[in-house]
Amino acid sequence: MTATETKRLSPKPAWLRVKAPTSPEYQRTRSLIRRQRLNTVFEESACPNIGECWAKGHATVMILGSVCTRACAFCNIATGKPDRLDPHEPERLAEAVTALGLEHVVVTSVDRDDLEDGGAGHFARSIEEIRKRAPAMTIEVLTPDFRRKDGAVETVVAARPDVYNHNLETVPRLYPSIRPGARYFASLQLLARVKTLDPSIFTKSGMMVGLGESREEVHQVMDDLRAADVDFLTIGQYLQPTPKHAPVDRFVTPDEFEAYAAMAAGKGFLLVSASPLTHSSYFAGDDFRRLRTARAAQLADAAAAS
Ligand code: SF4
């Protein structure tokens, strides 16, 4: 994006304005995360939900450093030469999330195309270390696309996360400008592969709207995700982190989000979260409980019908 193309940040409509985080719980989560020298998506990506999530003791932690090998046009995370891998990070992570007393944790990372396994081994070790210290804690991973990293998905699935999340982020037509290092169908295949390897793992994907996509294109993404047997879809408003990032094409209204939620539910997703403030791991703990309930109801219906 050249200098002349940078656009002033569009003023947010009322439904996207949130109060600055101040609660004691927020401060406690923040200081503990700082003490453990952990990266969190919230701070790196300037997430508007940080106050709410940290006040609930919910954290999405980022492993594999804070510098990414990709440069997605919507993302506020630094791009460049990645940090040296810290072999003790999985243990530190497990200690921190245990100290936070989380019921559900989301572990994500930057893309590490520079690593032979793309960081898959680090994800697997992080899951194992958390399980050792907090066996009751449920674990969601939000992974990179592990492009050209044979065996990487298998490594993470073998560690048996409760939820495997990988975001499509946007519609295929916008990939070249918004997510240039990724391939739409490669990301879909990753999600389908997880379900083939272990059908008991919930699969989840998220996208942002307001980047210039049409309603029909969003519906097509829903169909593609259902064809990959994805259980849970999140849809939220894209917010421009800085003037150097992709501009907001428009702010999608709450009514349109409701229409997306209804459309997605009609296509058979076990769970859908669609709202202006929805982010991929927004209230992930509550959503995980809802996923389990929805699957139990689905199995009960199937048993009753047979
Ligand atoms: S791959 Fe992920 S962390 Fe890296 S720039 Fe893209 S969205 Fe950001």
Side-chain angles (χ1 to χ4, degrees):
M1 174 122 9
T2 60
T4 51
E5 284 168 334
T6 56
K7 244 178 109 180
R8 274 179 55 70
L9 295 186
S10 320
K12 291 181 192 162
W15 63 74
L16 279 170
R17 295 198 202 115
V18 292
K19 282 205 307 339
T22 53
S23 73
E25 296 80 11
Y26 164 80
Q27 303 297 350
R28 176 181 166 271
T29 306
R30 187 160 174 261
S31 60
L32 196 138
I33 283 177
R34 290 276 157 82
R35 258 202 323 279
Q36 290 287 352
R37 291 180 286 119
L38 285 180
N39 296 313
T40 70
V41 160
F42 297 114
E43 292 184 296
E44 302 289 341
S45 67
C47 177
N49 302 321
I50 190 170
E52 258 185 296
C53 288
W54 279 10
K56 287 194 84 170
H58 165 64
T60 297
V61 284
M62 211 162 72
I63 58 174
L64 298 167
S66 59
V67 180
C68 186
T69 51
R70 305 274 178 92
C72 303
F74 60 87
C75 181
N76 199 31
I77 288 175
T79 295
K81 188 171 178 315
D83 305 335
R84 204 173 53 72
L85 202 59
D86 171 1
H88 304 297
E89 184 177 45
E91 290 90 340
R92 270 195 301 109
L93 164 72
E95 273 155 30
V97 296
T98 307
L100 269 173
L102 301 182
E103 283 173 30
H104 184 82
V105 65
V106 180
V107 180
T108 189
S109 81
V110 293
D111 266 42
R112 292 296 301 255
D113 298 302
D114 61 310
L115 299 175
E116 200 174 326
D117 71 349
H122 222 61
F123 268 99
R125 280 192 49 228
S126 298
I127 295 170
E128 285 146 19
E129 289 299 329
I130 294 170
R131 289 255 151 83
K132 263 193 237 158
R133 288 169 180 74
M137 191 183 297
T138 50
I139 303 171
E140 176 170 336
V141 292
L142 171 53
T143 79
D145 59 13
F146 294 133
R147 282 192 65 214
R148 293 189 283 275
K149 305 293 179 186
D150 294 348
V153 175
E154 287 75 5
T155 299
V156 178
V157 167
R160 306 209 68 230
D162 298 282
V163 181
Y164 196 117
N165 188 354
H166 176 66
N167 289 331
L168 292 185
E169 306 290 9
T170 186
V171 300
R173 177 177 56 84
L174 297 178
Y175 263 54
S177 59
I178 299 297
R179 213 178 163 218
R183 297 293 174 272
Y184 179 80
F185 287 102
S187 285
L188 269 178
Q189 276 156 11
L190 180 154
L191 288 158
R193 180 95 185 106
V194 172
K195 224 23 155 182
T196 308
L197 289 167
D198 186 342
S200 74
I201 295 177
F202 290 107
T203 50
K204 175 180 177 179
S205 190
M207 65 182 301
M208 301 163 288
V209 289
L211 281 161
E213 72 295 323
S214 71
R215 210 184 356 260
E216 293 66 31
E217 288 178 307
V218 176
H219 294 170
Q220 182 58 53
V221 170
M222 293 177 187
D223 289 337
D224 294 343
L225 286 170
R226 284 305 300 140
D229 203 10
V230 169
D231 300 303
F232 183 11
L233 170 63
T234 64
I235 308 177
Q237 169 70 48
Y238 166 61
L239 296 173
Q240 186 182 13
T242 76
K244 287 195 170 41
H245 288 88
V248 171
D249 175 70
R250 70 186 188 92
F251 291 108
V252 178
T253 67
D255 290 351
E256 289 174 279
F257 277 104
E258 268 179 39
Y260 278 142
M263 174 64 77
K267 291 180 184 292
F269 287 97
L270 260 184
L271 190 62
V272 182
S273 174
S275 79
L277 284 172
T278 290
H279 266 226
S280 176
S281 53
Y282 186 39
F283 287 148
D286 302 344
D287 285 338
F288 179 67
R289 278 189 289 280
R290 291 164 63 205
L291 264 177
R292 274 205 292 216
T293 308
R295 180 183 274 172
Q298 193 184 54
L299 293 173
D301 291 351
S306 63

